[in-house]
Amino acid sequence: MRIAQLANFVGPASGGMRTALQALGQGYVGAGHRRLLIVPGPADSRITTPLGDVVQFRAPRVGGGYRMIVEPWRVIEVLEGWGPTSLELSDKLTLLPVARWASRNGVGSVLFSHERLDDMLALRTGLDTTAKVSVGLLNRLLVRSVDRIVVTSRYAEDEFRRVAAGADCPIVRIPLGVDLDTFRPHRVEREGELRLVHAGRLSREKSPHLAVATAVELHGRGVPVRLDVYGVGPHRDELVEAAGSAPIRFHGFLDSRTDLSHRLAAADVALSVCPGETFGLAVLEALASGTPVVTADRGGARELVDVVSGAWGRPEPASLADAVLEVADRPVASRRDAARARAERYPWSATVASMLDVHAGVAMRRSRSRARGVMSSRSVSAATSMEPITIAR
């Protein structure tokens, strides 16, 4: 197969999106398929890598350090020259014209839904009802524009369940994975204080404010606690102010995944508390590093944590602080072993295998549809070119 991955809102520090694109691309190429990656960037470029060609289109910034391709016809020009059998779109907005091009040209299309737009917009704007109505209209368009929609959790699937009824676009649930070799337990010196860690983008829709507020709550209770925050984003200054005098340290973005694993393993509990997270790669990375996770009691991240690998609470500082103390009270060895065992249920190999099945299915479907169209066209052509028959009387 020839799989083209298209993504917006991806950059050097974009976290989960970048990780997923790389892991899937590596799996596709490792299985013997061709792969093309198209992303936005500061300038036009095209390079050949061991994981296939990477095309970058000059794209404007749209806030928070992200860029977005706003000229989909340029993407179509590249695809027409490359000849994909299927597309994998990690974007719900500006790249939809590419999905329509795929439909017209017998190319399969898969929308990889990395975020739940209704809750994400509600978290950003505080306008819950307006966000859900607007996103509902967009989702109706999405299910009619692509051949398959892939979601990563039951929580993410709920966004499409109603609008997909009756549409010829099955919703497929495929969890993401984690690099179990890079993210693994490390020997660390345990300290007297309760060490917490939060890794993620410092943007409101990721709820870092709630993680900081949880640490502030514990500090206010007199618990000897320390929170280490790894990540960058537009709300860092707000978070520093919210931390006040609590022992919370902001370390910025870590480019080394191995270094991040060491930092995660050094903590007693990881906080990944966003109630609108559709999956939670940061959850898996902490679990794989042997660190139990406390998360909100709803959202995709909650589905990754069970009663032995972590805990959950209402998305409120007091409830989450209670969950942290409950996890910290468990024997260290058992909680760390349980965290690692939970992560081992999610290897990237399983995600890649499931995604290849989806790509094969949509490519075959479009190939058959194209073949039927050719046969129908030939039949019409043959019928119109027949000589008239004269019947003797």
Side-chain angles (χ1 to χ4, degrees), residues 2 79-80 83-87 98-109 147 359-374:
R2 297 172 65 88
L79 294 173
E80 287 177 337
T85 56
S86 60
L87 306 180
V98 184
R100 291 194 287 271
W101 168 86
S103 178
R104 292 193 302 269
N105 289 271
V107 177
S109 59
D147 296 318
H359 278 288
V362 299
M364 182 176 295
R365 178 189 182 191
R366 285 297 175 182
S367 177
R368 288 174 175 172
S369 177
R370 185 170 62 246
R372 286 195 298 269
V374 170

Short mmCIF file of all heavy atoms in Angstrom, two decimals, residues 2 79-80 83-87 98-109 147 359-374:
data_model
loop_
_atom_site.label_atom_id
_atom_site.label_comp_id
_atom_site.label_asym_id
_atom_site.label_seq_id
_atom_site.Cartn_x
_atom_site.Cartn_y
_atom_site.Cartn_z
N ARG A 2 0.29 2.34 -0.42
CA ARG A 2 0.94 3.64 -0.41
C ARG A 2 0.07 4.56 0.46
O ARG A 2 -0.99 5.01 0.04
CB ARG A 2 1.08 4.19 -1.84
CG ARG A 2 1.97 3.32 -2.72
CD ARG A 2 1.93 3.78 -4.17
NE ARG A 2 2.50 5.11 -4.35
CZ ARG A 2 3.78 5.34 -4.57
NH1 ARG A 2 4.65 4.33 -4.62
NH2 ARG A 2 4.23 6.58 -4.75
N LEU A 79 -0.21 14.89 -3.88
CA LEU A 79 -0.82 13.56 -3.86
C LEU A 79 -1.04 13.03 -5.27
O LEU A 79 -0.85 11.82 -5.52
CB LEU A 79 -2.16 13.62 -3.11
CG LEU A 79 -2.08 13.92 -1.61
CD1 LEU A 79 -3.48 14.11 -1.04
CD2 LEU A 79 -1.33 12.83 -0.87
N GLU A 80 -1.42 13.88 -6.19
CA GLU A 80 -1.62 13.42 -7.57
C GLU A 80 -0.32 12.90 -8.16
O GLU A 80 -0.33 11.95 -8.96
CB GLU A 80 -2.18 14.56 -8.42
CG GLU A 80 -3.65 14.86 -8.11
CD GLU A 80 -4.18 16.04 -8.91
OE1 GLU A 80 -3.36 16.88 -9.35
OE2 GLU A 80 -5.42 16.13 -9.07
N GLY A 83 0.52 9.38 -5.85
CA GLY A 83 -0.37 8.25 -6.10
C GLY A 83 -0.65 7.36 -4.90
O GLY A 83 -0.33 6.16 -4.93
N PRO A 84 -1.28 7.88 -3.83
CA PRO A 84 -1.57 7.05 -2.66
C PRO A 84 -2.71 6.07 -2.92
O PRO A 84 -3.57 6.31 -3.78
CB PRO A 84 -1.99 8.07 -1.60
CG PRO A 84 -2.60 9.18 -2.40
CD PRO A 84 -1.79 9.26 -3.67
N THR A 85 -2.71 4.97 -2.17
CA THR A 85 -3.88 4.08 -2.18
C THR A 85 -4.85 4.48 -1.08
O THR A 85 -6.04 4.16 -1.16
CB THR A 85 -3.45 2.63 -1.96
OG1 THR A 85 -2.69 2.53 -0.74
CG2 THR A 85 -2.59 2.13 -3.12
N SER A 86 -4.36 5.17 -0.03
CA SER A 86 -5.24 5.65 1.03
C SER A 86 -4.60 6.84 1.72
O SER A 86 -3.38 7.02 1.72
CB SER A 86 -5.52 4.54 2.06
OG SER A 86 -4.32 4.09 2.66
N LEU A 87 -5.48 7.67 2.31
CA LEU A 87 -5.05 8.83 3.08
C LEU A 87 -5.37 8.62 4.55
O LEU A 87 -6.37 8.00 4.89
CB LEU A 87 -5.79 10.09 2.62
CG LEU A 87 -5.78 10.48 1.15
CD1 LEU A 87 -6.58 11.77 0.96
CD2 LEU A 87 -4.37 10.64 0.64
N VAL A 98 -9.27 17.64 0.59
CA VAL A 98 -8.43 16.53 0.16
C VAL A 98 -9.21 15.22 0.24
O VAL A 98 -9.05 14.33 -0.61
CB VAL A 98 -7.15 16.46 1.02
CG1 VAL A 98 -6.22 15.37 0.51
CG2 VAL A 98 -6.43 17.81 1.01
N ALA A 99 -10.06 15.08 1.25
CA ALA A 99 -10.88 13.88 1.35
C ALA A 99 -11.85 13.79 0.17
O ALA A 99 -12.10 12.70 -0.35
CB ALA A 99 -11.66 13.89 2.67
N ARG A 100 -12.40 14.92 -0.25
CA ARG A 100 -13.30 14.90 -1.41
C ARG A 100 -12.54 14.54 -2.68
O ARG A 100 -13.05 13.82 -3.54
CB ARG A 100 -13.99 16.26 -1.55
CG ARG A 100 -14.99 16.53 -0.42
CD ARG A 100 -15.89 17.70 -0.74
NE ARG A 100 -15.18 18.97 -0.65
CZ ARG A 100 -15.08 19.68 0.47
NH1 ARG A 100 -15.63 19.23 1.59
NH2 ARG A 100 -14.44 20.83 0.48
N TRP A 101 -11.29 15.03 -2.79
CA TRP A 101 -10.45 14.62 -3.94
C TRP A 101 -10.24 13.12 -3.92
O TRP A 101 -10.31 12.47 -4.97
CB TRP A 101 -9.11 15.36 -3.87
CG TRP A 101 -8.09 14.81 -4.82
CD1 TRP A 101 -7.91 15.13 -6.13
CD2 TRP A 101 -7.12 13.78 -4.53
NE1 TRP A 101 -6.90 14.38 -6.68
CE2 TRP A 101 -6.40 13.55 -5.72
CE3 TRP A 101 -6.79 13.05 -3.40
CZ2 TRP A 101 -5.36 12.61 -5.79
CZ3 TRP A 101 -5.78 12.11 -3.47
CH2 TRP A 101 -5.07 11.89 -4.65
N ALA A 102 -9.97 12.56 -2.75
CA ALA A 102 -9.75 11.12 -2.64
C ALA A 102 -10.97 10.35 -3.11
O ALA A 102 -10.86 9.36 -3.85
CB ALA A 102 -9.40 10.75 -1.20
N SER A 103 -12.15 10.79 -2.70
CA SER A 103 -13.37 10.09 -3.09
C SER A 103 -13.55 10.09 -4.60
O SER A 103 -13.95 9.08 -5.19
CB SER A 103 -14.57 10.76 -2.41
OG SER A 103 -15.78 10.16 -2.80
N ARG A 104 -13.26 11.22 -5.23
CA ARG A 104 -13.43 11.31 -6.69
C ARG A 104 -12.40 10.49 -7.45
O ARG A 104 -12.64 10.11 -8.60
CB ARG A 104 -13.34 12.77 -7.13
CG ARG A 104 -14.49 13.64 -6.67
CD ARG A 104 -14.48 14.96 -7.43
NE ARG A 104 -13.22 15.68 -7.25
CZ ARG A 104 -12.99 16.58 -6.30
NH1 ARG A 104 -13.96 16.85 -5.42
NH2 ARG A 104 -11.83 17.20 -6.22
N ASN A 105 -11.27 10.23 -6.81
CA ASN A 105 -10.16 9.58 -7.53
C ASN A 105 -9.89 8.15 -7.07
O ASN A 105 -8.83 7.59 -7.34
CB ASN A 105 -8.89 10.42 -7.39
CG ASN A 105 -8.97 11.70 -8.19
OD1 ASN A 105 -8.60 11.73 -9.36
ND2 ASN A 105 -9.45 12.77 -7.56
N GLY A 106 -10.84 7.54 -6.40
CA GLY A 106 -10.70 6.14 -6.03
C GLY A 106 -9.64 5.87 -4.97
O GLY A 106 -9.05 4.79 -4.93
N VAL A 107 -9.40 6.85 -4.09
CA VAL A 107 -8.41 6.71 -3.02
C VAL A 107 -9.15 6.62 -1.69
O VAL A 107 -10.03 7.42 -1.40
CB VAL A 107 -7.44 7.91 -3.00
CG1 VAL A 107 -6.46 7.80 -1.83
CG2 VAL A 107 -6.70 8.02 -4.33
N GLY A 108 -8.80 5.63 -0.87
CA GLY A 108 -9.45 5.48 0.43
C GLY A 108 -9.07 6.60 1.37
O GLY A 108 -7.98 7.19 1.27
N SER A 109 -9.95 6.93 2.31
CA SER A 109 -9.67 8.01 3.26
C SER A 109 -10.04 7.59 4.68
O SER A 109 -11.09 7.01 4.92
CB SER A 109 -10.43 9.29 2.87
OG SER A 109 -11.82 9.06 2.84
N ASP A 147 -14.08 7.63 4.42
CA ASP A 147 -14.53 6.23 4.41
C ASP A 147 -14.56 5.60 5.80
O ASP A 147 -15.37 4.71 6.07
CB ASP A 147 -13.60 5.40 3.51
CG ASP A 147 -13.67 5.84 2.06
OD1 ASP A 147 -14.78 6.10 1.58
OD2 ASP A 147 -12.60 5.93 1.42
N HIS A 359 -6.55 0.64 6.64
CA HIS A 359 -6.08 1.17 5.36
C HIS A 359 -6.33 0.17 4.22
O HIS A 359 -6.74 0.56 3.12
CB HIS A 359 -4.60 1.52 5.43
CG HIS A 359 -4.34 2.85 6.06
ND1 HIS A 359 -4.61 4.04 5.42
CD2 HIS A 359 -3.82 3.19 7.27
CE1 HIS A 359 -4.28 5.06 6.20
NE2 HIS A 359 -3.80 4.56 7.33
N ALA A 360 -6.08 -1.10 4.50
CA ALA A 360 -6.33 -2.11 3.47
C ALA A 360 -7.80 -2.17 3.10
O ALA A 360 -8.16 -2.30 1.92
CB ALA A 360 -5.85 -3.48 3.95
N GLY A 361 -8.66 -2.03 4.10
CA GLY A 361 -10.10 -2.09 3.85
C GLY A 361 -10.59 -0.94 3.00
O GLY A 361 -11.35 -1.13 2.04
N VAL A 362 -10.17 0.30 3.33
CA VAL A 362 -10.66 1.45 2.55
C VAL A 362 -10.05 1.48 1.16
O VAL A 362 -10.70 1.88 0.19
CB VAL A 362 -10.40 2.78 3.28
CG1 VAL A 362 -11.14 2.81 4.62
CG2 VAL A 362 -8.93 3.06 3.47
N ALA A 363 -8.78 1.02 1.04
CA ALA A 363 -8.15 0.98 -0.28
C ALA A 363 -8.85 -0.03 -1.19
O ALA A 363 -9.10 0.24 -2.37
CB ALA A 363 -6.67 0.64 -0.15
N MET A 364 -9.19 -1.19 -0.63
CA MET A 364 -9.88 -2.21 -1.42
C MET A 364 -11.28 -1.74 -1.82
O MET A 364 -11.72 -1.95 -2.95
CB MET A 364 -9.96 -3.53 -0.64
CG MET A 364 -10.64 -4.66 -1.41
SD MET A 364 -10.61 -6.21 -0.49
CE MET A 364 -8.84 -6.53 -0.42
N ARG A 365 -11.95 -1.10 -0.88
CA ARG A 365 -13.30 -0.60 -1.16
C ARG A 365 -13.28 0.39 -2.31
O ARG A 365 -14.10 0.32 -3.23
CB ARG A 365 -13.87 0.05 0.09
CG ARG A 365 -15.26 0.65 -0.12
CD ARG A 365 -15.67 1.48 1.08
NE ARG A 365 -17.00 2.03 0.93
CZ ARG A 365 -17.51 2.95 1.72
NH1 ARG A 365 -16.81 3.41 2.72
NH2 ARG A 365 -18.73 3.43 1.51
N ARG A 366 -12.35 1.34 -2.27
CA ARG A 366 -12.27 2.34 -3.33
C ARG A 366 -11.81 1.72 -4.65
O ARG A 366 -12.26 2.13 -5.73
CB ARG A 366 -11.32 3.46 -2.91
CG ARG A 366 -11.94 4.41 -1.89
CD ARG A 366 -13.13 5.13 -2.48
NE ARG A 366 -13.82 5.96 -1.50
CZ ARG A 366 -14.91 6.66 -1.76
NH1 ARG A 366 -15.44 6.59 -2.97
NH2 ARG A 366 -15.49 7.38 -0.82
N SER A 367 -10.93 0.73 -4.58
CA SER A 367 -10.47 0.06 -5.79
C SER A 367 -11.62 -0.65 -6.49
O SER A 367 -11.79 -0.58 -7.70
CB SER A 367 -9.36 -0.94 -5.46
OG SER A 367 -8.95 -1.64 -6.60
N ARG A 368 -12.45 -1.33 -5.70
CA ARG A 368 -13.60 -2.02 -6.27
C ARG A 368 -14.61 -1.03 -6.83
O ARG A 368 -15.20 -1.26 -7.90
CB ARG A 368 -14.27 -2.90 -5.21
CG ARG A 368 -13.45 -4.13 -4.83
CD ARG A 368 -14.10 -4.86 -3.67
NE ARG A 368 -13.39 -6.11 -3.37
CZ ARG A 368 -13.65 -6.86 -2.31
NH1 ARG A 368 -14.60 -6.48 -1.44
NH2 ARG A 368 -12.97 -7.98 -2.09
N SER A 369 -14.81 0.08 -6.13
CA SER A 369 -15.73 1.10 -6.60
C SER A 369 -15.25 1.68 -7.92
O SER A 369 -16.04 1.91 -8.85
CB SER A 369 -15.87 2.20 -5.55
OG SER A 369 -16.70 3.23 -6.00
N ARG A 370 -13.94 1.91 -8.01
CA ARG A 370 -13.37 2.44 -9.25
C ARG A 370 -13.53 1.44 -10.38
O ARG A 370 -13.85 1.80 -11.52
CB ARG A 370 -11.90 2.78 -9.03
CG ARG A 370 -11.25 3.46 -10.23
CD ARG A 370 -9.87 3.99 -9.87
NE ARG A 370 -8.97 2.93 -9.47
CZ ARG A 370 -8.47 2.78 -8.25
NH1 ARG A 370 -8.81 3.63 -7.30
NH2 ARG A 370 -7.64 1.80 -7.97
N ALA A 371 -13.32 0.15 -10.07
CA ALA A 371 -13.45 -0.88 -11.10
C ALA A 371 -14.89 -0.98 -11.60
O ALA A 371 -15.13 -1.13 -12.80
CB ALA A 371 -12.99 -2.23 -10.55
N ARG A 372 -15.84 -0.88 -10.67
CA ARG A 372 -17.24 -0.91 -11.09
C ARG A 372 -17.58 0.28 -11.97
O ARG A 372 -18.33 0.17 -12.94
CB ARG A 372 -18.16 -0.94 -9.86
CG ARG A 372 -18.19 -2.28 -9.13
CD ARG A 372 -19.37 -2.33 -8.18
NE ARG A 372 -19.29 -1.32 -7.13
CZ ARG A 372 -18.70 -1.50 -5.96
NH1 ARG A 372 -18.14 -2.67 -5.67
NH2 ARG A 372 -18.66 -0.54 -5.06
N GLY A 373 -17.00 1.44 -11.63
CA GLY A 373 -17.24 2.62 -12.44
C GLY A 373 -16.69 2.48 -13.83
O GLY A 373 -17.32 2.88 -14.82
N VAL A 374 -15.52 1.85 -13.96
CA VAL A 374 -14.92 1.63 -15.28
C VAL A 374 -15.75 0.66 -16.09
O VAL A 374 -16.02 0.88 -17.27
CB VAL A 374 -13.47 1.11 -15.12
CG1 VAL A 374 -12.93 0.66 -16.47
CG2 VAL A 374 -12.59 2.20 -14.52
#
